[in-house]
Amino acid sequence: MYNNILIPIDLEHVEMFPRAVEVAIQLFGNEKGKIHSLYVDSTKIHSISFTQVDNEVASQMRKEMKKRVRRVFEEHVPEEIQGSCHIRNGVVYDEILEEESRLQPDVILVAAGKPGVASYLLGSNAEKVLRHAQGNVFVIRDNKHW
């Protein structure tokens, strides 16, 4: 089946990460595999959120965010299948596609919540990853929001 899986983490929808991990484990079947995660900090790109915050406070917020990402990864991915947990700065979909190029995963599992008018079917990041990824991409929906 699959044994090298990439799951991007979205801290705004962190509740969907455990579901994606469950799906990844199912995709391993009886094989051993690794789950890799990627969180993309886009605050430096979209610095509007930090315009009223001094550099020291912004730096502390980023440190806390990194701790939270690692904690989410370690809490939900069993230790024996933990691969890498990366944090990058940049545009979300670009960094996911770059990580795909680097890791060469068998599949990327992208979580997507209930669509709204603006996104219609998928969020813009999920849609761009789905359209431009070189390999397989599975979209994981959170059934509680339907």
Side-chain angles (χ1 to χ4, degrees):
M1 302 221 21
Y2 300 96
N3 61 15
N4 189 26
I5 297 175
L6 173 61
I7 306 173
I9 295 177
D10 181 349
L11 290 180
E12 289 184 28
H13 302 286
V14 72
E15 72 281 357
M16 295 181 75
F17 185 73
R19 174 73 180 119
V21 171
E22 288 174 21
V23 171
I25 292 169
Q26 291 172 2
L27 291 173
F28 290 153
N30 293 328
E31 303 294 319
K32 290 188 178 187
K34 292 289 181 190
I35 293 175
H36 305 275
S37 71
L38 172 67
Y39 173 77
V40 181
D41 179 1
S42 60
T43 57
K44 289 183 180 179
I45 301 299
H46 307 292
S47 60
I48 291 172
S49 58
F50 286 137
T51 57
Q52 302 300 320
V53 178
D54 80 21
N55 288 339
E56 188 175 321
V57 173
S59 176
Q60 185 61 36
M61 291 171 71
R62 286 189 180 97
K63 286 179 187 175
E64 291 301 318
M65 174 272 305
K66 289 178 181 181
K67 287 180 189 176
R68 184 171 179 215
V69 168
R70 295 208 188 281
R71 189 171 50 247
V72 166
F73 180 75
E74 291 170 359
E75 284 178 6
H76 296 288
V77 179
E79 189 173 339
E80 65 275 8
I81 61 172
Q82 286 181 6
S84 57
C85 176
H86 292 275
I87 299 170
R88 292 189 177 184
N89 297 307
V91 177
V92 174
Y93 57 86
D94 284 339
E95 295 300 328
I96 293 170
L97 295 172
E98 179 66 30
E99 190 74 1
E100 176 198 28
S101 177
R102 192 182 73 71
L103 277 177
Q104 297 292 306
D106 300 317
V107 66
I108 301 172
L109 298 182
V110 179
K114 182 178 179 181
V117 174
S119 62
Y120 192 63
L121 292 175
L122 293 173
S124 62
N125 289 317
E127 178 184 4
K128 288 177 181 162
V129 170
L130 189 62
R131 288 180 186 265
H132 299 287
Q134 297 299 307
N136 298 312
V137 179
F138 294 168
V139 177
I140 307 300
R141 295 282 193 190
D142 184 358
N143 295 334
K144 290 185 277 185
H145 292 95
W146 287 96

